[in-house]
Amino acid sequence: MPFPQDRPRRMRRNEALRSLVRETHLAPDDLVWPLFVLPGKRVRNPVKSMPGVFQLSVDELVAEAQAGYEAGVRSVILFGIPEHKDEIGSGAYDENGVVPQAIRALKAQVPGLVVMTDVCMCEYTDHGHCGILKAPKAGGPGQDLSVDNDATLPLLAKEAVAHARAGADIVAPSDMMDGRVAAIRAALDAEGYGDVPVLSYAAKFAGAFYGPFRDAAESAPREGPGIPKDRKGYQMDPGNWREALREVALDVAEGADMVMVKPAVPYLDIVRLIRDRFELPVAAYHVSGEYAMIKAAAERGWIDEARVVLETLLCCRRAGADLILTYYAKEAAGLLTGKRR
């Protein structure tokens, strides 16, 4: 047989050669660290289903963010857990609420940090849904309550403005209400925050990977008469890819500056489709269930945690994600910079 003319293995012989021709790179700047903040002082509540993740008071949050910044993490996204919840999620747009407090503290004490905020109602409503609920029309189909899309939009806009006023660099609506990007963009512009970008959770699927997050954010839908048991009525069906592209196109038309796919790894095909069709930055959210599965397997000694984490995040980048939201951000940054081994 003639000698093969193509020998790809030549460039794999050692790490120096592999690094020279590596097509995709992962850096700490690509990572966004989700953090949970709640009222109080010196509070550091471990999340049982997410080892290494905590509910933090503002003072502890600042210390954690500072440690992440020193490890190389340059961006965080905040999720608030209010002291009191009600049916209209009033804590979400309280200008003195826990998230605005955290934003001001972070901007004062870690000034180089990019502070993003989740804009949604589920952490703040007593029923756990992402908007306010309404009763069905008399004589109409169904007896259950449902999320009132249009009545929720002004509240989301108020929440985004409250975060911008506190100093948020980016607001990120995750509610999946139709028209929320336009409502938020209009409110920000009207209040003089035209320079604050909107990162839209454009393709957020009603998947099974969110359970640990709902423990951390205390945001699971409440069981009760007439209350929808899940969020399938407004989050996307996992089987739909054309609809994902439509959702992104709508959000881009409404003024989104960046778009997100959530979850990440099971939906990397969606990340690639969006990357190939749109010019905006694309984010992928490596969600709580994905994090918890790696942790569980690592604790049992079944996998090399560090290698699996870096490979997983690298593959998100290879699929087309410009930034990755991950609970592994600090650990991954440390591994990438050599500050953790």
Side-chain angles (χ1 to χ4, degrees):
M1 293 182 64
F3 188 86
Q5 296 303 303
D6 292 326
R7 293 275 187 166
R9 284 184 57 189
R10 288 176 182 144
M11 299 307 297
R12 302 175 194 155
R13 286 188 298 111
N14 55 54
E15 180 56 26
L17 289 172
R18 291 191 292 271
S19 296
L20 182 67
V21 296
R22 188 163 294 138
E23 300 169 21
T24 304
H25 296 270
L26 179 68
D29 286 347
D30 303 325
L31 308 176
V32 181
W33 195 13
L35 296 172
F36 301 94
V37 60
L38 79 176
K41 290 185 178 181
R42 295 187 294 279
V43 179
R44 192 177 179 86
N45 296 334
V47 179
K48 292 182 180 179
S49 54
M50 299 177 70
V53 175
F54 301 86
Q55 297 174 328
L56 303 164
S57 54
V58 172
D59 54 330
E60 292 287 339
L61 179 94
V62 169
E64 192 82 341
Q66 182 67 59
Y69 191 82
E70 291 170 0
V73 178
R74 295 294 179 260
S75 304
V76 299
I77 184 166
L78 304 181
F79 296 86
I81 305 163
E83 191 169 2
H84 302 289
K85 303 188 180 194
D86 57 37
E87 62 181 10
I88 59 171
S90 59
Y93 40 89
D94 180 355
E95 305 237 351
N96 292 311
V98 67
V99 168
Q101 290 179 39
I103 297 166
R104 289 190 286 266
L106 286 171
K107 299 310 289 185
Q109 298 182 56
V110 196
L113 190 69
V114 173
V115 179
M116 306 181 186
T117 62
D118 179 74
V119 174
C120 194
M121 307 296 290
C122 62
E123 301 105 305
Y124 303 92
T125 55
D126 56 11
H127 47 73
H129 278 281
C130 300
I132 61 176
L133 297 180
K134 65 178 179 180
K137 288 185 177 180
Q143 302 299 315
D144 289 346
L145 301 167
S146 62
V147 174
D148 190 331
N149 188 102
D150 293 3
T152 298
L153 297 182
L155 304 184
L156 295 168
K158 287 175 64 176
E159 182 179 5
V161 169
H163 294 176
R165 188 167 286 130
D169 296 294
I170 298 170
V171 295
S174 64
D175 54 283
M176 289 300 287
M177 298 298 111
D178 294 336
R180 88 292 189 142
V181 172
I184 288 170
R185 184 72 272 157
L188 290 171
D189 293 351
E191 293 294 327
Y193 300 107
D195 290 336
V196 174
V198 176
L199 165 58
S200 173
Y201 288 63
K204 182 177 179 180
F205 290 85
F209 290 86
Y210 303 142
F213 171 90
R214 291 169 184 170
D215 292 340
E218 300 179 9
S219 63
R222 191 189 78 208
E223 294 185 9
I227 297 176
K229 65 181 180 179
D230 54 42
R231 296 175 180 145
K232 294 179 180 178
Y234 43 98
Q235 293 178 356
M236 285 189 55
D237 188 292
N240 295 357
W241 65 267
R242 292 189 298 271
E243 185 185 12
L245 295 178
R246 182 185 179 202
E247 285 279 10
V248 171
L250 288 169
D251 287 357
V252 170
E254 290 178 19
D257 300 280
M258 298 179 281
V259 293
M260 189 190 303
V261 176
K262 181 181 180 182
V265 175
Y267 298 88
L268 291 184
D269 60 322
I270 306 298
V271 174
R272 172 48 57 188
L273 287 169
I274 293 170
R275 173 72 288 142
D276 288 346
R277 286 165 173 78
F278 297 90
E279 297 298 325
L280 276 66
V282 178
Y285 199 142
H286 184 239
V287 299
S288 59
E290 297 173 272
Y291 172 90
M293 288 191 295
I294 294 175
K295 280 290 183 185
E299 287 176 356
R300 287 161 175 77
W302 295 343
I303 59 172
D304 181 325
E305 183 177 15
R307 288 186 61 194
V308 168
V309 168
L310 294 183
E311 183 177 340
T312 298
L313 300 180
L314 180 69
C315 291
C316 292
R317 290 277 291 127
R318 191 193 65 220
D322 298 290
L323 55 154
I324 307 162
L325 286 72
T326 175
Y327 302 96
Y328 271 114
K330 184 173 75 169
E331 293 175 66
L335 290 167
L336 291 166
T337 59
K339 295 179 180 178
R340 178 181 181 274
R341 298 186 184 277

